[in-house]
Amino acid sequence: MDDHSIQRIAIETAINLVAAEHSQPFGFWVDVYKVSDKIFMMAMTYQNEKIVTLKCSPQDSEMLRDIYPSIRPGYHMNKKHWITIYPDKEITRELVQDLVIASYELVISKLPKHQKKGLEAIK
C-alpha cells in the first residue's frame, strides 16, 4: 500500500473513534490524534514519505516488526511503546484500521476509570 493510502485510511479510522480529537501541536506538518488528551496516533511526512505512528504494546510491537519489514520502532517516540508504519505492499487496509483501533484502545485502557466511560465503542 502506498503512503497516501496508509495515511488516508489511518486518519479516516481515527476520526471515527469516540471522542477522538485532531490537533497540530507540533506544527502543520504533524497531525496528532488524541483521546482524553493522550496521543494515540500521529501522521506526518518523513523523508518524502507519509508515515503513521501508533501506540503499541511492547509484545505486539516486537511481533509486528518481525512480520512486517515496513513496521518499525516509533519515529521520534519511545521505541518500545510506539510503532511507525511505512509504505509497503504487505500493509493492508484492514491492518492499518486494526492498528489504529488497537492504539486507541491501549490508550483508553490506561485512563482512570472515570475517564473511560463511553469511550469503548466506535462511533
Side-chain angles (χ1 to χ4, degrees), residues 8 12 19 23 29 33 35 39 43 49 51 54 58 70 72 90 94 98 101-102 108 118 121-122:
R8 181 180 46 76
E12 287 171 2
S23 64
W29 57 89
Y33 294 83
V35 61
I39 297 173
E49 286 185 314
I51 59 173
L54 300 162
S70 62
R72 302 179 198 150
E90 293 182 345
E94 295 77 19
D98 289 348
I101 292 168
I108 288 174
I122 297 175

PDB file of all heavy atoms in Angstrom, residues 8 12 19 23 29 33 35 39 43 49 51 54 58 70 72 90 94 98 101-102 108 118 121-122:
ATOM      1  N   ARG A   8      -4.394   8.065   4.687  1.00  0.00           N
ATOM      2  CA  ARG A   8      -5.823   8.329   4.492  1.00  0.00           C
ATOM      3  C   ARG A   8      -6.666   7.358   5.311  1.00  0.00           C
ATOM      4  O   ARG A   8      -7.590   7.759   6.021  1.00  0.00           O
ATOM      5  CB  ARG A   8      -6.188   8.241   3.010  1.00  0.00           C
ATOM      6  CG  ARG A   8      -7.656   8.534   2.719  1.00  0.00           C
ATOM      7  CD  ARG A   8      -7.981   8.441   1.236  1.00  0.00           C
ATOM      8  NE  ARG A   8      -7.450   7.267   0.559  1.00  0.00           N
ATOM      9  CZ  ARG A   8      -7.959   6.032   0.663  1.00  0.00           C
ATOM     10  NH1 ARG A   8      -9.008   5.805   1.415  1.00  0.00           N
ATOM     11  NH2 ARG A   8      -7.417   5.024   0.020  1.00  0.00           N
ATOM     12  N   GLU A  12      -8.987   8.365   8.484  1.00  0.00           N
ATOM     13  CA  GLU A  12     -10.424   8.058   8.434  1.00  0.00           C
ATOM     14  C   GLU A  12     -10.838   7.200   9.627  1.00  0.00           C
ATOM     15  O   GLU A  12     -11.905   7.401  10.202  1.00  0.00           O
ATOM     16  CB  GLU A  12     -10.774   7.317   7.140  1.00  0.00           C
ATOM     17  CG  GLU A  12     -10.768   8.178   5.910  1.00  0.00           C
ATOM     18  CD  GLU A  12     -10.914   7.375   4.609  1.00  0.00           C
ATOM     19  OE1 GLU A  12     -11.057   6.132   4.657  1.00  0.00           O
ATOM     20  OE2 GLU A  12     -10.881   8.003   3.541  1.00  0.00           O
ATOM     21  N   ALA A  19     -14.777  10.306  20.758  1.00  0.00           N
ATOM     22  CA  ALA A  19     -14.026  11.344  21.474  1.00  0.00           C
ATOM     23  C   ALA A  19     -12.616  11.577  20.926  1.00  0.00           C
ATOM     24  O   ALA A  19     -11.803  12.227  21.586  1.00  0.00           O
ATOM     25  CB  ALA A  19     -13.986  11.052  22.969  1.00  0.00           C
ATOM     26  N   SER A  23      -5.382  17.592  16.351  1.00  0.00           N
ATOM     27  CA  SER A  23      -4.694  18.863  16.572  1.00  0.00           C
ATOM     28  C   SER A  23      -3.358  18.832  15.841  1.00  0.00           C
ATOM     29  O   SER A  23      -2.959  17.796  15.293  1.00  0.00           O
ATOM     30  CB  SER A  23      -4.479  19.111  18.071  1.00  0.00           C
ATOM     31  OG  SER A  23      -3.625  18.140  18.617  1.00  0.00           O
ATOM     32  N   TRP A  29       2.760  20.216   9.879  1.00  0.00           N
ATOM     33  CA  TRP A  29       3.271  19.026   9.217  1.00  0.00           C
ATOM     34  C   TRP A  29       3.043  17.737  10.019  1.00  0.00           C
ATOM     35  O   TRP A  29       3.330  16.655   9.538  1.00  0.00           O
ATOM     36  CB  TRP A  29       4.757  19.185   8.900  1.00  0.00           C
ATOM     37  CG  TRP A  29       5.570  19.476  10.131  1.00  0.00           C
ATOM     38  CD1 TRP A  29       6.145  18.569  10.982  1.00  0.00           C
ATOM     39  CD2 TRP A  29       5.865  20.752  10.679  1.00  0.00           C
ATOM     40  NE1 TRP A  29       6.773  19.206  12.022  1.00  0.00           N
ATOM     41  CE2 TRP A  29       6.621  20.550  11.863  1.00  0.00           C
ATOM     42  CE3 TRP A  29       5.573  22.061  10.299  1.00  0.00           C
ATOM     43  CZ2 TRP A  29       7.071  21.603  12.648  1.00  0.00           C
ATOM     44  CZ3 TRP A  29       6.036  23.096  11.096  1.00  0.00           C
ATOM     45  CH2 TRP A  29       6.775  22.853  12.246  1.00  0.00           C
ATOM     46  N   TYR A  33      -3.616  12.811  16.851  1.00  0.00           N
ATOM     47  CA  TYR A  33      -4.944  12.351  17.250  1.00  0.00           C
ATOM     48  C   TYR A  33      -4.863  11.886  18.696  1.00  0.00           C
ATOM     49  O   TYR A  33      -3.988  11.097  19.054  1.00  0.00           O
ATOM     50  CB  TYR A  33      -5.431  11.234  16.318  1.00  0.00           C
ATOM     51  CG  TYR A  33      -5.631  11.779  14.928  1.00  0.00           C
ATOM     52  CD1 TYR A  33      -4.566  11.899  14.045  1.00  0.00           C
ATOM     53  CD2 TYR A  33      -6.875  12.258  14.534  1.00  0.00           C
ATOM     54  CE1 TYR A  33      -4.731  12.464  12.794  1.00  0.00           C
ATOM     55  CE2 TYR A  33      -7.046  12.823  13.279  1.00  0.00           C
ATOM     56  CZ  TYR A  33      -5.975  12.933  12.417  1.00  0.00           C
ATOM     57  OH  TYR A  33      -6.141  13.507  11.182  1.00  0.00           O
ATOM     58  N   VAL A  35      -7.158  11.015  22.533  1.00  0.00           N
ATOM     59  CA  VAL A  35      -8.376  10.725  23.274  1.00  0.00           C
ATOM     60  C   VAL A  35      -8.067  11.072  24.726  1.00  0.00           C
ATOM     61  O   VAL A  35      -7.021  10.672  25.258  1.00  0.00           O
ATOM     62  CB  VAL A  35      -8.864   9.272  23.086  1.00  0.00           C
ATOM     63  CG1 VAL A  35      -7.849   8.263  23.576  1.00  0.00           C
ATOM     64  CG2 VAL A  35     -10.221   9.059  23.731  1.00  0.00           C
ATOM     65  N   ILE A  39      -2.162  11.055  23.339  1.00  0.00           N
ATOM     66  CA  ILE A  39      -1.915  10.770  21.923  1.00  0.00           C
ATOM     67  C   ILE A  39      -2.036   9.275  21.662  1.00  0.00           C
ATOM     68  O   ILE A  39      -1.469   8.459  22.386  1.00  0.00           O
ATOM     69  CB  ILE A  39      -0.516  11.251  21.499  1.00  0.00           C
ATOM     70  CG1 ILE A  39      -0.404  12.771  21.630  1.00  0.00           C
ATOM     71  CG2 ILE A  39      -0.208  10.822  20.058  1.00  0.00           C
ATOM     72  CD1 ILE A  39       1.000  13.309  21.392  1.00  0.00           C
ATOM     73  N   ALA A  43       0.316  11.402  12.287  1.00  0.00           N
ATOM     74  CA  ALA A  43       0.524  11.237  10.847  1.00  0.00           C
ATOM     75  C   ALA A  43       1.395  12.391  10.379  1.00  0.00           C
ATOM     76  O   ALA A  43       1.123  13.555  10.694  1.00  0.00           O
ATOM     77  CB  ALA A  43      -0.819  11.228  10.117  1.00  0.00           C
ATOM     78  N   GLU A  49       8.081  10.575   2.596  1.00  0.00           N
ATOM     79  CA  GLU A  49       7.079   9.510   2.697  1.00  0.00           C
ATOM     80  C   GLU A  49       6.103   9.867   3.800  1.00  0.00           C
ATOM     81  O   GLU A  49       6.509  10.342   4.857  1.00  0.00           O
ATOM     82  CB  GLU A  49       7.725   8.158   3.041  1.00  0.00           C
ATOM     83  CG  GLU A  49       8.471   7.512   1.928  1.00  0.00           C
ATOM     84  CD  GLU A  49       8.967   6.129   2.308  1.00  0.00           C
ATOM     85  OE1 GLU A  49       9.517   5.963   3.416  1.00  0.00           O
ATOM     86  OE2 GLU A  49       8.798   5.222   1.489  1.00  0.00           O
ATOM     87  N   ILE A  51       3.968   8.824   6.797  1.00  0.00           N
ATOM     88  CA  ILE A  51       4.047   7.731   7.760  1.00  0.00           C
ATOM     89  C   ILE A  51       2.987   7.923   8.845  1.00  0.00           C
ATOM     90  O   ILE A  51       2.465   9.025   9.021  1.00  0.00           O
ATOM     91  CB  ILE A  51       5.449   7.615   8.399  1.00  0.00           C
ATOM     92  CG1 ILE A  51       5.843   8.910   9.123  1.00  0.00           C
ATOM     93  CG2 ILE A  51       6.490   7.233   7.346  1.00  0.00           C
ATOM     94  CD1 ILE A  51       7.139   8.839   9.917  1.00  0.00           C
ATOM     95  N   LEU A  54       1.885   4.959  15.845  1.00  0.00           N
ATOM     96  CA  LEU A  54       0.817   4.490  16.728  1.00  0.00           C
ATOM     97  C   LEU A  54       1.362   3.917  18.023  1.00  0.00           C
ATOM     98  O   LEU A  54       2.439   3.315  18.041  1.00  0.00           O
ATOM     99  CB  LEU A  54       0.012   3.384  16.029  1.00  0.00           C
ATOM    100  CG  LEU A  54      -0.661   3.763  14.718  1.00  0.00           C
ATOM    101  CD1 LEU A  54      -1.021   2.524  13.934  1.00  0.00           C
ATOM    102  CD2 LEU A  54      -1.883   4.611  15.001  1.00  0.00           C
ATOM    103  N   PRO A  58       4.516  -3.398  23.974  1.00  0.00           N
ATOM    104  CA  PRO A  58       5.849  -3.878  23.609  1.00  0.00           C
ATOM    105  C   PRO A  58       5.840  -5.249  22.927  1.00  0.00           C
ATOM    106  O   PRO A  58       6.567  -5.467  21.958  1.00  0.00           O
ATOM    107  CB  PRO A  58       6.591  -3.922  24.943  1.00  0.00           C
ATOM    108  CG  PRO A  58       5.925  -2.873  25.766  1.00  0.00           C
ATOM    109  CD  PRO A  58       4.456  -2.953  25.373  1.00  0.00           C
ATOM    110  N   SER A  70       8.081  -3.124   7.043  1.00  0.00           N
ATOM    111  CA  SER A  70       7.758  -1.698   6.969  1.00  0.00           C
ATOM    112  C   SER A  70       7.120  -1.165   8.257  1.00  0.00           C
ATOM    113  O   SER A  70       6.751  -0.003   8.327  1.00  0.00           O
ATOM    114  CB  SER A  70       6.840  -1.421   5.780  1.00  0.00           C
ATOM    115  OG  SER A  70       5.635  -2.110   5.933  1.00  0.00           O
ATOM    116  N   ARG A  72       8.195  -0.308  11.895  1.00  0.00           N
ATOM    117  CA  ARG A  72       9.461  -0.098  12.598  1.00  0.00           C
ATOM    118  C   ARG A  72       9.203   0.592  13.939  1.00  0.00           C
ATOM    119  O   ARG A  72       8.104   1.076  14.184  1.00  0.00           O
ATOM    120  CB  ARG A  72      10.374   0.764  11.734  1.00  0.00           C
ATOM    121  CG  ARG A  72      10.632   0.129  10.373  1.00  0.00           C
ATOM    122  CD  ARG A  72      11.504   0.988   9.502  1.00  0.00           C
ATOM    123  NE  ARG A  72      11.376   0.557   8.111  1.00  0.00           N
ATOM    124  CZ  ARG A  72      11.504   1.353   7.077  1.00  0.00           C
ATOM    125  NH1 ARG A  72      11.780   2.622   7.250  1.00  0.00           N
ATOM    126  NH2 ARG A  72      11.372   0.868   5.863  1.00  0.00           N
ATOM    127  N   GLU A  90       2.831  -5.188   1.651  1.00  0.00           N
ATOM    128  CA  GLU A  90       2.244  -6.114   2.629  1.00  0.00           C
ATOM    129  C   GLU A  90       1.267  -5.432   3.586  1.00  0.00           C
ATOM    130  O   GLU A  90       0.522  -6.105   4.287  1.00  0.00           O
ATOM    131  CB  GLU A  90       3.347  -6.783   3.442  1.00  0.00           C
ATOM    132  CG  GLU A  90       4.205  -7.718   2.631  1.00  0.00           C
ATOM    133  CD  GLU A  90       5.256  -8.410   3.480  1.00  0.00           C
ATOM    134  OE1 GLU A  90       5.521  -7.973   4.619  1.00  0.00           O
ATOM    135  OE2 GLU A  90       5.817  -9.403   2.997  1.00  0.00           O
ATOM    136  N   GLU A  94      -7.073  -3.362   6.246  1.00  0.00           N
ATOM    137  CA  GLU A  94      -7.522  -3.965   7.497  1.00  0.00           C
ATOM    138  C   GLU A  94      -6.456  -3.867   8.584  1.00  0.00           C
ATOM    139  O   GLU A  94      -6.769  -3.612   9.748  1.00  0.00           O
ATOM    140  CB  GLU A  94      -7.919  -5.430   7.284  1.00  0.00           C
ATOM    141  CG  GLU A  94      -9.122  -5.624   6.393  1.00  0.00           C
ATOM    142  CD  GLU A  94      -8.844  -5.461   4.892  1.00  0.00           C
ATOM    143  OE1 GLU A  94      -7.650  -5.545   4.471  1.00  0.00           O
ATOM    144  OE2 GLU A  94      -9.797  -5.223   4.142  1.00  0.00           O
ATOM    145  N   ASP A  98      -6.988  -1.916  12.028  1.00  0.00           N
ATOM    146  CA  ASP A  98      -6.827  -2.666  13.278  1.00  0.00           C
ATOM    147  C   ASP A  98      -5.778  -2.032  14.189  1.00  0.00           C
ATOM    148  O   ASP A  98      -5.961  -1.956  15.411  1.00  0.00           O
ATOM    149  CB  ASP A  98      -6.443  -4.118  13.002  1.00  0.00           C
ATOM    150  CG  ASP A  98      -7.585  -4.938  12.415  1.00  0.00           C
ATOM    151  OD1 ASP A  98      -8.744  -4.462  12.428  1.00  0.00           O
ATOM    152  OD2 ASP A  98      -7.302  -6.063  11.940  1.00  0.00           O
ATOM    153  N   ILE A 101      -7.158   1.254  15.765  1.00  0.00           N
ATOM    154  CA  ILE A 101      -8.127   0.937  16.819  1.00  0.00           C
ATOM    155  C   ILE A 101      -7.417   0.351  18.046  1.00  0.00           C
ATOM    156  O   ILE A 101      -7.722   0.713  19.182  1.00  0.00           O
ATOM    157  CB  ILE A 101      -9.222  -0.010  16.291  1.00  0.00           C
ATOM    158  CG1 ILE A 101     -10.083   0.736  15.262  1.00  0.00           C
ATOM    159  CG2 ILE A 101     -10.079  -0.561  17.431  1.00  0.00           C
ATOM    160  CD1 ILE A 101     -11.006  -0.147  14.448  1.00  0.00           C
ATOM    161  N   ALA A 102      -6.439  -0.509  17.815  1.00  0.00           N
ATOM    162  CA  ALA A 102      -5.685  -1.094  18.935  1.00  0.00           C
ATOM    163  C   ALA A 102      -4.929  -0.003  19.704  1.00  0.00           C
ATOM    164  O   ALA A 102      -4.866  -0.045  20.945  1.00  0.00           O
ATOM    165  CB  ALA A 102      -4.724  -2.160  18.429  1.00  0.00           C
ATOM    166  N   ILE A 108      -6.915   4.138  25.963  1.00  0.00           N
ATOM    167  CA  ILE A 108      -8.094   4.137  26.843  1.00  0.00           C
ATOM    168  C   ILE A 108      -7.889   3.209  28.037  1.00  0.00           C
ATOM    169  O   ILE A 108      -8.270   3.534  29.160  1.00  0.00           O
ATOM    170  CB  ILE A 108      -9.362   3.735  26.056  1.00  0.00           C
ATOM    171  CG1 ILE A 108      -9.771   4.876  25.133  1.00  0.00           C
ATOM    172  CG2 ILE A 108     -10.505   3.385  26.996  1.00  0.00           C
ATOM    173  CD1 ILE A 108     -10.908   4.535  24.212  1.00  0.00           C
ATOM    174  N   GLY A 118     -17.887   5.457  28.302  1.00  0.00           N
ATOM    175  CA  GLY A 118     -18.380   5.825  26.983  1.00  0.00           C
ATOM    176  C   GLY A 118     -17.348   5.835  25.878  1.00  0.00           C
ATOM    177  O   GLY A 118     -17.655   6.158  24.743  1.00  0.00           O
ATOM    178  N   ALA A 121     -16.534   2.293  22.552  1.00  0.00           N
ATOM    179  CA  ALA A 121     -17.184   1.960  21.272  1.00  0.00           C
ATOM    180  C   ALA A 121     -16.727   2.889  20.151  1.00  0.00           C
ATOM    181  O   ALA A 121     -16.366   4.033  20.393  1.00  0.00           O
ATOM    182  CB  ALA A 121     -18.701   2.058  21.417  1.00  0.00           C
ATOM    183  N   ILE A 122     -16.792   2.370  18.958  1.00  0.00           N
ATOM    184  CA  ILE A 122     -16.503   3.173  17.773  1.00  0.00           C
ATOM    185  C   ILE A 122     -17.772   3.915  17.407  1.00  0.00           C
ATOM    186  O   ILE A 122     -18.874   3.381  17.514  1.00  0.00           O
ATOM    187  CB  ILE A 122     -16.051   2.260  16.618  1.00  0.00           C
ATOM    188  CG1 ILE A 122     -14.757   1.560  17.005  1.00  0.00           C
ATOM    189  CG2 ILE A 122     -15.878   3.048  15.346  1.00  0.00           C
ATOM    190  CD1 ILE A 122     -14.292   0.543  16.002  1.00  0.00           C
TER     191      ILE A 122
END
